[in-house]
């Protein structure tokens, strides 16, 4: 599997364009955001939305399927906090039932300086093709810039065989920094 790593230097980000993307309504959806662990009122549907990562293109590398439950979701948020970092999540909510349709997670260093790292962006299959990933990620960038003005940039990595997320990153201004190759050998 080839992974392209990219960085969005916040000093060079087109903030007016990103704001316009983040503020453009998407029929049938709304955005919400939180810091740390998922709020109780969204917990069940956020856990259910984690399956959106199950079919993420990973080339020929098989990482298996991660089974998420509320304890695992909360433990992940606690681990980020325990090491002194801040987990920011932006989610798209389906207005018809109030369920999480997709999410993007960004981990910011506790100092609010240096580079933050995207941990995942995913949209449930039944909600794809509506521009939700781009919308959520743009909102996440604006939020990071406003809440942590001393951040230098945002980092992400995407499998080369995931053209949809590569296009989202390119459109939002992420610049490739390097490529890594992962190999898997079945013994």
């Amino acid at each position: 599997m080839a992974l392209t790593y990219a960085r969005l230097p916040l000093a060079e980000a087109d903030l007016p364009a990103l704001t316009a993307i983040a503020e453009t309504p998407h029929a049938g959806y709304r955005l919400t955001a939180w810091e740390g662990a998922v709020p109780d009122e969204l917990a069940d549907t956020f856990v259910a939305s984690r399956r959106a990562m199950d079919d993420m293109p990973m080339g020929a590398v098989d990482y298996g399927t991660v089974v998420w439950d509320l304890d695992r979701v909360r433990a992940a948020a606690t681990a980020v906090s325990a090491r002194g970092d801040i987990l920011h999540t932006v989610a798209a909510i389906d207005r018809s039932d109030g369920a999480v349709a997709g999410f993007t997670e960004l981990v910011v260093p506790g100092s609010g300086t240096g580079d933050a790292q995207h941990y995942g962006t995913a949209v449930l299959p039944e909600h794809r093709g509506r521009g939700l990933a781009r919308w959520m990620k743009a909102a996440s960038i604006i939020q990071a810039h406003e809440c942590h003005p001393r951040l230098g940039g945002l980092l992400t990595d995407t499998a080369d065989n995931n053209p949809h997320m590569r296009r989202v990153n390119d459109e939002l201004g992420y610049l490739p920094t390097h490529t890594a190759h992962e190999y898997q050998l079945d013994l």
Side-chain angles (χ1 to χ4, degrees):
M1 174 180 66
L3 282 174
T4 296
Y5 289 78
R7 181 176 185 267
L8 175 64
L10 286 175
E12 299 170 22
D14 186 345
L15 296 175
L18 291 165
T19 300
I21 293 167
E23 292 179 353
T24 299
H26 284 62
Y29 298 92
R30 67 177 175 83
L31 290 179
T32 191
W34 63 87
E35 184 178 299
V38 61
D40 290 342
E41 64 273 12
L42 292 173
D44 290 340
T45 65
F46 181 63
V47 169
S49 77
R50 302 298 299 199
R51 73 176 168 83
M53 301 290 280
D54 291 350
D55 64 351
M56 179 175 58
M58 298 297 288
V61 175
D62 181 10
Y63 287 106
T65 301
V66 176
V67 177
W68 289 91
D69 60 18
L70 187 54
D71 289 339
R72 187 179 192 123
V73 166
R74 289 203 168 131
T78 299
V80 170
S81 177
R83 67 173 186 249
D85 294 334
I86 304 161
L87 174 62
H88 287 281
T89 305
V90 173
I93 305 296
D94 182 345
R95 289 184 185 274
S96 70
D97 61 6
V100 173
F103 63 90
T104 187
E105 296 172 311
L106 181 70
V107 175
V108 177
S111 65
T113 62
D115 288 341
Q117 175 71 51
H118 285 284
Y119 268 33
T121 300
V123 176
L124 287 165
E126 59 270 28
H127 297 280
R128 291 180 185 157
R130 296 176 174 102
L132 299 181
R134 183 173 175 256
W135 188 37
M136 293 182 301
K137 209 160 187 179
S140 179
I141 295 165
I142 296 302
Q143 181 184 63
H145 181 266
E146 290 174 353
C147 295
H148 307 282
R150 297 183 312 143
L151 273 178
L154 308 181
L155 305 173
T156 192
D157 60 85
T158 309
D160 281 2
N161 66 327
N162 187 348
H164 305 293
M165 190 53 65
R166 294 274 313 273
R167 185 173 50 250
V168 166
N169 291 335
D170 291 346
E171 290 172 356
L172 296 175
Y174 287 82
L175 303 171
T177 59
H178 63 284
T179 300
H181 298 272
E182 294 186 18
Y183 299 90
Q184 183 176 45
L185 176 64
D186 291 328
L187 299 176

